[in-house]
Amino acid sequence: FRCPELGAAVHVRDGEARGAMERLARAEGILVGGSAGAALAGALQHAQGLAAGTRVVIILPDTGRNYVGSLAR
């Protein structure tokens, strides 16, 4: 496995991170927190500029245990 140097950064707004967090919970049944939502939202933004078929790996860095109540609203 080769991992090239990071050559770009993606800005993710709080609302985008929360939307991705909710998307994972509702569509995939994966309960994550805001950091993981930000990671997903950033990866999705970055992936738009990649060639079709390119793989993107996302590490989801936290749990959504503390967000269960807010996701139910």
Side-chain angles (χ1 to χ4, degrees), residues 11-59:
H11 178 79
V12 176
R13 298 181 190 279
D14 288 345
E16 294 170 312
R18 181 173 174 80
M21 180 178 89
E22 291 175 356
R23 176 180 174 184
L24 279 172
R26 294 181 197 285
E28 304 296 335
I30 301 172
L31 189 59
V32 298
S35 297
L40 174 60
L44 291 172
Q45 285 181 25
H46 180 71
Q48 290 177 352
L50 300 176
T54 301
R55 289 182 192 215
V56 176
V57 176
I58 307 166
I59 297 173

